[in-house]
């Protein structure tokens, strides 16, 4: 049952930036309250299903005063500051700007809820959004021109995955419940069908592409994963990063020049594949997430069958998403109830930490997926208040939460009382300064720019 709306008397300022508590809290007490944060005593760390020690995550903290970035960079140039300290300073400076973020623009172009979202790789004010009815909108919110709109088939046409073509950004890849994974242009022309099911009982639920290795990977609702290249015939072994040592994944030897992987369609999971992700630094590294309560990591050069995975990461509940960090060194997973996990390349089979967070599954809600910030070690995710979640408070707000990827600490929450729905999808643009949110039928653009115009 969908949560009740918060009474009008509970409206607060447009953006809620939670006060930070100075005392640590146990992992299960990480959840903030709607009006204030109540300090709790620290609790014991917990172990995961595979007996790996969970890192105890502290509660929200007060941000230290923001130091001059110019001074930090100068200190680094003089050899008096390490590069990690510079990165931390840049992240700290960015976090201080989030309290001025407002909804810059809002759109409601669909007659069904938004189900997928993708930023243009080079244009920071252009975003593509897909709907449950198969509609797709290309929106450049930086200009007043009417957005490009591609009409879908309606019921049964849900866009489940959306990616710009990295080789031609006037085109995009889309997977759908219509039963295809295809390449289209924004005039509505289908340029190539990469995968098609012969029955209405099978459809495609996830999609990813790689420009360097020219690969397309897609997963369906019965556990199959299909790999092919952008020519649609076969996949040659990815050669990017293979002959060089990777700082996080270790040294890798290239395959024999004549080796190749033919197009394959393998059942890699027992149930629906909700998410597929190619590692951005080593695109032969694939992560797949499923409602069978596992995330699996694969070496595409060594796939021989469903048992040839490198790692299988068990979860307590079905999994909505598994996303590699921009540097490829970490993996972020979102289950369908109350856990966000962070894994590291240093030990893929044991998570670094657990972030308790309410985002339970609801059939009439686009599944909530946590995402990385493209430049900083930050995690952004929408909140679906759960009365059964420990420390849930009456009239808890449906915020967008930002966590530190290292410590799991809540850094801030964004909220607008005039757009108080559940934000299922939240992604920063490649520049990292604008946030797009899919909230039911609405697309929200968050930015610091509106705060400037109000001064």
């Amino acid at each position: 049952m969908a949560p009740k709306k918060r009474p009008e008397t509970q409206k607060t300022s447009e953006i809620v930036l939670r006060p930070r508590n100075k005392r640590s809290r146990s992992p299960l007490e990480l959840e903030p309250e709607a009006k204030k944060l109540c300090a709790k005593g620290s609790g014991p760390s917990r172990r995961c299903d595979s007996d790996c020690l969970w890192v105890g995550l502290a509660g929200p903290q007060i941000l230290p005063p923001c130091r001059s970035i110019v001074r930090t960079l100068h200190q680094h140039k003089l050899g008096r500051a390490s590069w990690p300290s510079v990165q931390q300073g840049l992240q700290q400076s960015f976090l201080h700007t989030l309290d001025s973020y407002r909804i810059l623009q809002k759109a409601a172009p669909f007659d069904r809820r938004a189900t997928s979202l993708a930023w243009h790789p080079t244009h920071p004010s252009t975003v593509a959004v897909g709907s449950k009815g198969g509609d797709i909108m290309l929106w450049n919110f930086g200009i007043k021109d009417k957005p490009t709109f591609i009409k879908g088939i309606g019921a049964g046409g849900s866009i489940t995955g959306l990616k710009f073509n990295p080789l031609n950004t006037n085109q995009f890849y889309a997977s759908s419940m219509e039963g295809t994974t295809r390449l289209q242009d924004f005039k509505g022309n289908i340029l190539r069908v990469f995968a098609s099911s012969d029955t209405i009982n099978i459809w495609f639920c996830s999609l990813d592409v790689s420009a360097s290795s020219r690969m397309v990977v897609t997963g369906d609702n019965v556990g199959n994963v299909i790999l092919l290249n952008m020519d649609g015939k076969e996949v040659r072994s990815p050669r990017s990063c293979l002959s060089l040592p990777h700082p996080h994944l270790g040294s890798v030897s290239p395959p024999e020049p004549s080796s190749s992987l033919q197009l394959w369609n393998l059942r890699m999971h027992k149930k629906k594949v909700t998410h597929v992700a190619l590692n951005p630094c080593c695109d032969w590294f694939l992560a797949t997430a499923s409602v069978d309560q596992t995330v699996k990591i694969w070496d595409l050069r060594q796939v021989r069958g469903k048992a040839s995975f490198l790692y299988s990461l068990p979860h307590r509940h079905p999994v909505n998403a598994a996303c590699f960090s921009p540097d490829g060194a970490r993996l972020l997973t979102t289950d369908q109830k109350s856990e966000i996990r962070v894994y590291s390349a240093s030990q893929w089979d044991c998570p670094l930490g657990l972030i308790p967070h309410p985002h339970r599954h609801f059939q009439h809600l686009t599944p909530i997926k946590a995402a990385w910030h493209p430049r900083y070690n930050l995690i952004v995710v929408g909140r679906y208040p759960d009365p059964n979640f420990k420390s849930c408070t009456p009239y808890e707000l449906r915020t967008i939460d930002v966590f530190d990827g290292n410590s799991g600490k809540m850094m801030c929450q964004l909220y607008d009382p005039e757009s108080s729905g559940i934000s299922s999808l939240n992604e920063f643009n490649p520049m990292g300064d604008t946030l797009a949110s899919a909230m039911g039928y609405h697309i929200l653009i968050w930015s610091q720019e509106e705060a400037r115009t109000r001064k």
Side-chain angles (χ1 to χ4, degrees), residues 126-383:
T126 299
V127 63
V129 187
S131 82
K132 188 171 176 60
D135 305 324
I136 296 173
M137 177 186 70
L138 179 69
W139 184 23
N140 181 357
F141 54 84
I143 60 176
K144 294 182 179 181
D145 291 351
K146 187 177 180 181
T148 299
F149 191 88
I150 301 174
K151 184 66 177 176
I153 65 171
S158 179
I159 303 298
T160 56
L162 196 59
K163 297 285 183 179
F164 280 90
N165 182 357
L167 304 179
N168 182 349
T169 54
N170 292 318
Q171 304 169 355
F172 64 92
Y173 292 87
S175 59
S176 75
M177 287 188 67
E178 189 179 351
T180 62
T181 294
R182 59 188 183 267
L183 176 66
Q184 291 184 239
D185 61 25
F186 286 100
K187 295 180 180 179
N189 301 313
I190 297 178
L191 306 177
R192 181 188 295 273
V193 175
F194 280 80
S196 178
S197 64
D198 298 325
T199 170
I200 60 174
N201 297 322
I202 297 178
W203 58 86
F204 296 96
C205 312
S206 47
L207 166 74
D208 201 6
V209 297
S210 169
S212 57
S213 59
R214 304 178 69 88
M215 288 192 299
V216 180
V217 59
T218 185
D220 68 22
N221 66 312
V222 294
N224 297 314
V225 177
I226 303 175
L227 182 74
L228 30 67
N229 73 356
M230 292 182 179
D231 297 326
K233 295 181 180 180
E234 67 175 0
V235 176
R236 299 191 180 279
S237 298
R239 300 183 184 279
S240 59
C241 305
L242 295 183
S243 59
L244 298 174
H246 188 274
H248 303 293
L249 303 178
S251 298
V252 185
S253 300
E256 294 297 325
S258 61
S259 66
S260 65
L261 288 175
Q262 298 297 316
L263 170 66
W264 50 251
N265 181 346
L266 298 174
R267 193 167 188 228
M268 293 180 161
H269 288 272
K270 296 178 181 178
K271 297 181 181 179
K272 177 168 65 174
V273 180
T274 54
H275 201 97
V276 293
L278 294 163
N279 190 292
C281 294
C282 292
D283 45 22
W284 46 265
F285 218 49
L286 171 70
T288 59
S290 172
V291 297
D292 67 7
Q293 301 182 214
T294 65
V295 172
K296 294 181 179 179
I297 298 178
W298 311 79
D299 182 339
L300 294 181
R301 304 164 303 170
Q302 301 176 10
V303 171
R304 298 294 181 268
K306 63 181 181 180
S308 59
F309 54 82
L310 295 180
Y311 302 98
S312 180
L313 315 178
H315 286 61
R316 304 176 193 274
H317 303 282
V319 185
N320 283 338
C323 307
F324 286 106
S325 58
D327 64 359
R330 294 191 176 188
L331 184 71
L332 175 68
T333 70
T334 314
D335 75 355
Q336 289 189 357
K337 190 173 183 181
S338 59
E339 288 184 357
I340 297 171
R341 298 186 182 190
V342 178
Y343 294 82
S344 172
S346 60
Q347 192 175 2
W348 286 119
D349 58 349
C350 184
L352 287 178
L354 160 69
I355 303 175
H357 183 267
H359 49 259
R360 65 194 189 278
H361 181 74
F362 180 60
Q363 63 176 342
H364 299 301
L365 179 73
T366 298
I368 294 175
K369 299 180 180 182
W372 293 100
H373 189 279
R375 293 177 177 266
Y376 306 118
N377 192 14
L378 297 171
I379 298 166
V380 59
V381 60
R383 174 179 296 263

Side-chain angles (χ1 to χ4, degrees), residues 21-159:
N21 199 304
K22 296 183 179 180
R23 291 196 290 171
S24 63
R25 302 167 69 183
S26 65
L28 289 180
E29 293 168 337
L30 184 61
E31 185 73 0
E33 297 180 354
K35 295 229 179 224
K36 61 182 179 180
L37 294 171
C38 298
K40 302 288 184 180
S42 60
S45 59
R46 301 196 301 168
R47 291 182 177 272
C48 67
D49 298 334
S50 58
D51 292 331
C52 294
L53 184 64
W54 287 107
V55 178
L57 300 178
Q61 301 290 308
I62 296 176
L63 286 175
C66 185
R67 297 181 179 179
S68 169
I69 295 302
V70 175
R71 180 179 179 182
T72 303
L73 290 171
H74 179 64
Q75 293 293 318
H76 173 65
K77 186 176 181 180
L78 296 177
R80 299 174 185 173
S82 64
W83 180 244
S85 67
V86 174
Q87 291 178 309
Q88 187 62 33
L90 291 170
Q91 178 169 308
Q92 177 186 325
S93 177
F94 171 74
L95 287 169
H96 276 279
T97 68
L98 283 178
D99 62 352
S100 63
Y101 268 53
R102 302 289 186 271
I103 293 180
L104 175 68
Q105 292 201 43
K106 186 187 302 184
F110 307 128
D111 58 3
R112 290 174 172 83
R113 56 184 163 87
T115 55
S116 57
L117 185 153
W119 282 99
H120 193 283
T122 58
H123 199 287
S125 64
T126 299
V127 63
V129 187
S131 82
K132 188 171 176 60
D135 305 324
I136 296 173
M137 177 186 70
L138 179 69
W139 184 23
N140 181 357
F141 54 84
I143 60 176
K144 294 182 179 181
D145 291 351
K146 187 177 180 181
T148 299
F149 191 88
I150 301 174
K151 184 66 177 176
I153 65 171
S158 179
I159 303 298

Side-chain angles (χ1 to χ4, degrees), residues 416-431:
D416 186 325
E418 296 182 359
S419 300
S420 58
I422 299 168
S423 296
S424 297
L425 304 176
N426 301 278
E427 292 190 21
F428 281 94
N429 68 349
M431 293 289 292

